[in-house]
Amino acid sequence: MTDRFLKFSTVSSLLGKVALVFLIILGIWGLWGGVGEERIRLATTTSTENSGLLEVLLPPFEKRFGAKIDVIPVGTGKALRLAAQGDVDVVLVHAPEAEERFVSEGHGVNRRDVMYNRFVFVGPSSDPAGLKGVSDGTEALTRIEAQETLFVSRGDDSGTHKKERVLWALSGVNPEGDWYLEIGQGMGATLLMASQKGAYTLTDIGTFLAYGGRLDLKILVDGDPRLRNPYGIIAVNPARHLHVNYPMAMALIGWITSPEGQEIIRTFRPTGEPLFNPVAVP
């Protein structure tokens, strides 16, 4: 009797431990979004998010794969830092040189081109620096600095900010003074401030068109080949961060660069004009 009781107690104890472990696993799984639901952390640019593209591009993927994508809209620099730390699974950004460095340093794998649009200089219709008709981005900045007309910079190490700094360097100008405002904000906030202050700024065309109805700004400089704005998507390296959801990151990359995903990008025209041009599929 004693031996049978001891065996029963041992089995009961083991079953209790198994049940406890199972409950803990269910609890953790529940925090991740529920049984059967995959979670993907996507760090992307504020310009991509502000444009509204993700609201139409991501839901079909989530439905097809039973996934939930947590979008983290930040500047490109911060997005790549989050990825390098293993805090996200995949990044969609627009700074080719920084992306290539990110991959060469072993932080990311399987980078793919996704789409492009262009940067433009916008400003008040009064155009105090006389930018209208200028087709050279560096000439535009030289005129702004010469007149010390108000310029609002994102100042957030984003892809747009990186492009702006390249153009300042090419123009031979070091922007400083009360006329140059670095605000550390996303593209939408930067455009709204430039509109309120009657200032110039550099913006991607997608966000500008998406915000157009709320802005008292005009496109003044457009067409410089150096203002091309390409976007790439990169999976975080699973060999560097074992916890990342690499299979689903690759599934998302496959979806965005697939004919179906590229068609969604091509036909995304909330203002009647295409905001992005797909490049992964002709």
Side-chain angles (χ1 to χ4, degrees), residues 20-120:
L20 179 60
V21 170
F22 183 71
L23 288 173
I24 291 172
I25 292 172
L26 282 180
I28 294 173
W29 205 341
L31 290 174
W32 285 347
V35 176
E37 183 178 64
E38 293 277 1
R39 302 297 290 239
I40 312 169
R41 299 163 299 170
L42 168 67
T44 190
T45 68
T46 60
S47 58
T48 310
E49 197 269 342
N50 289 163
S51 71
L53 173 64
L54 300 183
E55 295 176 9
V56 298
L57 181 60
L58 299 184
F61 172 86
E62 292 178 319
K63 182 177 181 180
R64 180 171 299 180
F65 287 86
K68 171 62 178 175
I69 301 175
D70 298 318
V71 177
I72 305 169
V74 291
T76 287
K78 185 171 183 179
L80 292 174
R81 287 193 293 274
L82 288 171
Q85 295 163 7
D87 294 330
V88 296
D89 305 300
V90 60
V91 289
L92 175 60
V93 291
H94 61 143
E97 290 184 4
E99 294 167 39
E100 290 172 8
R101 186 165 57 251
F102 176 79
V103 173
S104 67
E105 291 175 351
H107 301 302
V109 293
N110 300 320
R111 183 195 173 280
R112 294 287 305 278
D113 291 320
V114 174
M115 59 191 182
Y116 73 92
N117 59 15
R118 66 191 191 279
F119 293 109
V120 294

Side-chain angles (χ1 to χ4, degrees), residues 169-183:
L170 290 172
S171 71
V173 174
N174 180 28
E176 56 183 5
D178 294 341
W179 59 274
Y180 184 71
L181 302 179
E182 289 188 287
I183 65 172

Side-chain angles (χ1 to χ4, degrees), residues 177-201:
D178 294 341
W179 59 274
Y180 184 71
L181 302 179
E182 289 188 287
I183 65 172
Q185 298 291 323
M187 195 70 258
T190 301
L191 282 167
L192 291 171
M193 180 174 287
S195 180
Q196 292 164 3
K197 293 182 174 293
Y200 295 99
T201 193

